[in-house]
Amino acid sequence: MMVRHYHLLSAGSGPTARWHEAFPEGETLDPASLAARLKDAQRMQCVVWIGASDRQWPEQLRRVLGGGSPLVRAVVLSSQPQEREAIQAFRAGASGYGHSHGLPALLRDVGQVVERGGLWLGPGLMQRLLSAASVVLPAAQHV
């Protein structure tokens, strides 16, 4: 199945040259155009990349994922990744969170993981989650 990559164009958040290099077949769409494309999502798998520089990104993310199609996945990109923002993105249903200026090869890796149904989070957040789990899980085993 072919996977489409769309970058949501919104106030202050367009794709970087690296994103274009990673996804030369990708399209940059405004919210209305993206909504029209997502109507076809029942037949088409896609990954929507949303820039966190737009303060409305949480609402945009909810709209993108609001159709309920399991074929639509979203990645939030930030020029200054923060753990709190990453957690917010995952709670809202994002499948990935990363640096908007990541190298094209890394962005392709993120895309492939998300396409296959996985989650992508940076090493800092992963380490924090593993550390928290190592504290909680042993305590839960003694209950």
Side-chain angles (χ1 to χ4, degrees), residues 1-4 43-47 71 73 115-116:
M1 172 183 287
M2 184 174 169
V3 179
R4 302 274 185 192
R43 301 177 303 239
M44 174 187 67
Q45 184 177 355
C46 65
V47 177
L71 298 177
R73 297 187 176 100
E115 287 172 18
R116 293 181 176 120

Side-chain angles (χ1 to χ4, degrees), residues 47-98:
V47 177
V48 178
W49 301 74
I50 301 171
S53 60
D54 181 351
R55 290 180 178 237
Q56 300 301 316
W57 73 263
E59 179 59 33
Q60 297 289 1
L61 179 60
R62 281 189 282 283
R63 279 191 216 131
V64 164
L65 299 175
S69 172
L71 298 177
V72 177
R73 297 187 176 100
V75 176
V76 175
L77 295 175
S78 177
S79 61
Q80 296 178 334
Q82 302 170 14
E83 289 181 11
R84 181 177 36 211
E85 188 175 66
I87 291 168
Q88 181 182 7
F90 285 113
R91 282 185 177 157
S95 295
Y97 179 85

